[in-house]
Amino acid sequence: MHISDGILTSEVAIGSAIIATSFLLYSFKDLKNKNIAIVSSMSALFFIASFVHIPLGFVQIHLILIGIIGIILGAQVFLAIFIALLLQATLLGYGGISSLGANLIIMSLPAYLIYLASKYGFLNFFSEKIKYFMIGFLAVLLSTLFLALILALSKEEYLYASYTVFLANVPAMFIEGLVTLFLINYLKKSIPDLISEAKL
Amino acid sequence: MIFLSPTISFVSAIFYSIFISFSNVELLYLLPILYVLFCEYKNIFQIFKRLIFLNLFILMIFIVLLLQTTFEEAFNIYLRTNMIILFNLTVFYRSSGYDIVRALNDLKFPNKVVSSIYFTLKMIQILSDELKSIRMTLRARGFRANSSLFTYETYGNLFGHIFVKSIKKAQALEESFNLRGFHGRIYLINQIKISYFDLILLFLISMLYVKGFVV
């Protein structure tokens, strides 16, 4: 779900870079020394998740885990994802440098929105298992929506590409939801304190 | 092979990406790529292999644009995206990531950001090793990934395990920060020297901007 360099128009690339920078500054403002370790570990987890490909019929998808990362980090998710995206762009060639702002919005804003939804109890309407599923599902849904929106805003010609990207990612939303459900269940057994702190 | 300074490579990657992203491709813009490929001539085959792998999404955009606009416009976007990826893949081909930390430190990025990137790289190493060992265990037990609920449960547990590992490592790291009196800054030994090869790269990138503004 990374947008490569050279795809976006200058207006969208600059606009998204400005918005992403403001999110990054907001994230950086409250960063304490003691939080650096957890930010780094979640950033590494996001980076590692892209290595694991899960088969889906004839194609393979990779996980992003931004829902649970967002819940753990809150506002600091912007910095964690920024670091991972910068390393992915330079070391692996995923995404790019001029599209870093757009990719940061696509990946970290949904994570922060899921954090807010969880914090203010908007996910409490669901039963526990559905809630865990929704954390993963909604994160990818929002991420894909932002991706499609940024592509569509960039060029009218990208509108069909946006629809294609959205439809192609529907199975990924369900898989991410299921994996997140099992992941949180595992965390509940292994580190229950963290889960209760996050009010999950 | 020629070693380019990470700071100059990083700065060049930023300026090259920004310039090419918003320009119509010209032959002259290939010069910096040819130069970095020359510096990395022993790894050219592997670099192109990676580039081909990264072409999936770009090809999709190319096909969509081909159906909706002219061939020239679609081809221009396809070419410039590939040029940027090729340039970045080449300049960072031998990078372990730690030289990027040094580059950011040299460029006076905030200490906390530099430290966070440094610790992220450490964590990536630890977690990749853990991922490899779990994958080997799964293979040894005859696990084969497919589109089933059992596969998703296995991956959920796999990431759950890695998650716990990363949280515990983060807690241990935080404790060692406290013991060592960490104040958000890591001290790096600066061994970066700028050579004539770096200056040539800078000249080639600057030339693009001069041409862009003048012509």
Side-chain angles (χ1 to χ4, degrees), chain B:
Chain B
M1 276 190 298
I2 295 158
F3 184 80
L4 292 167
S5 142
T7 311
I8 300 298
S9 299
F10 189 74
V11 171
S12 306
I14 292 174
F15 282 100
Y16 188 76
S17 302
I18 292 171
F19 184 83
I20 302 293
S21 289
F22 313 124
S23 310
N24 282 323
V25 174
E26 287 181 31
L27 266 178
L28 179 76
Y29 303 165
L30 284 172
L31 265 182
I33 296 182
L34 293 174
Y35 177 69
V36 291
L37 281 172
F38 161 73
C39 294
E40 209 57 59
Y41 65 93
K42 278 188 183 167
N43 299 314
I44 284 182
F45 180 69
Q46 282 90 342
I47 291 167
F48 275 94
K49 221 166 104 179
R50 269 200 208 173
L51 180 71
I52 292 165
F53 171 74
L54 291 166
N55 254 273
L56 276 174
F57 179 72
I58 314 163
L59 264 174
M60 191 200 80
I61 293 278
F62 173 70
I63 293 164
V64 169
L65 279 172
L66 204 59
L67 296 171
Q68 289 196 284
T69 58
T70 58
F71 173 79
E72 283 74 29
E73 196 181 341
F75 193 59
N76 182 48
I77 290 175
Y78 179 74
L79 264 186
R80 73 184 183 205
T81 303
N82 272 297
M83 280 168 72
I84 299 166
I85 295 176
L86 181 58
F87 183 86
N88 291 347
L89 278 181
T90 314
V91 289
F92 295 113
Y93 186 76
R94 274 181 286 163
S95 169
S96 60
Y98 291 103
D99 43 6
I100 294 171
V101 177
R102 284 181 206 284
L104 295 174
N105 194 43
D106 269 8
L107 295 168
K108 306 288 174 225
F109 266 64
N111 289 331
K112 282 181 186 173
V113 174
V114 175
S115 310
S116 302
I117 299 176
Y118 179 83
F119 291 120
T120 300
L121 286 163
K122 286 265 172 221
M123 284 289 187
I124 288 172
Q125 256 174 355
I126 296 166
L127 299 184
S128 332
D129 290 344
E130 191 66 26
L131 186 66
K132 269 182 213 157
S133 86
I134 300 174
R135 273 177 163 174
M136 274 171 68
T137 312
L138 284 175
R139 219 171 291 150
R141 289 181 183 176
F143 170 76
R144 280 195 69 185
N146 52 33
S147 308
S148 68
L149 206 59
F150 176 70
T151 298
Y152 305 140
E153 187 174 359
T154 308
Y155 276 110
N157 291 336
L158 183 155
F159 273 105
H161 176 77
I162 292 178
F163 213 97
V164 173
K165 188 100 183 168
S166 70
I167 298 262
K168 284 188 177 162
K169 282 278 171 198
Q171 281 167 347
L173 199 62
E174 193 191 316
E175 280 164 19
S176 79
F177 283 172
N178 292 336
L179 287 171
R180 292 176 187 183
F182 176 72
H183 293 295
R185 183 178 179 185
I186 49 156
Y187 294 89
L188 302 161
I189 301 164
N190 201 346
Q191 293 170 323
I192 294 168
K193 282 181 186 151
I194 292 172
S195 68
Y196 288 117
F197 296 109
D198 295 312
L199 293 178
I200 295 170
L201 180 60
L202 273 185
F203 171 75
L204 290 172
I205 304 286
S206 319
M207 198 181 67
L208 300 182
Y209 277 86
V210 171
K211 193 200 166 282
F213 284 120
V214 174
V215 182

Side-chain angles (χ1 to χ4, degrees), chain A residues 127-167:
Chain A
S127 68
E128 194 180 80
K129 279 187 178 169
I130 303 282
K131 186 164 86 175
Y132 296 165
F133 171 84
M134 291 310 263
I135 288 169
F137 177 86
L138 287 175
V140 182
L141 172 71
L142 289 171
S143 201
T144 314
L145 279 174
F146 286 134
L147 170 70
L149 189 71
I150 286 175
L151 280 176
L153 279 174
S154 200
K155 267 178 195 272
E156 217 175 290
E157 292 87 350
Y158 287 160
L159 203 61
Y160 286 102
S162 310
Y163 297 146
T164 317
V165 165
F166 186 82
L167 288 174

Side-chain angles (χ1 to χ4, degrees), chain A residues 110-132:
Chain A
Y112 188 59
L113 292 174
I114 295 290
Y115 161 76
L116 292 178
S118 167
K119 188 181 170 188
Y120 294 110
F122 294 136
L123 298 174
N124 291 344
F125 303 112
F126 304 111
S127 68
E128 194 180 80
K129 279 187 178 169
I130 303 282
K131 186 164 86 175
Y132 296 165

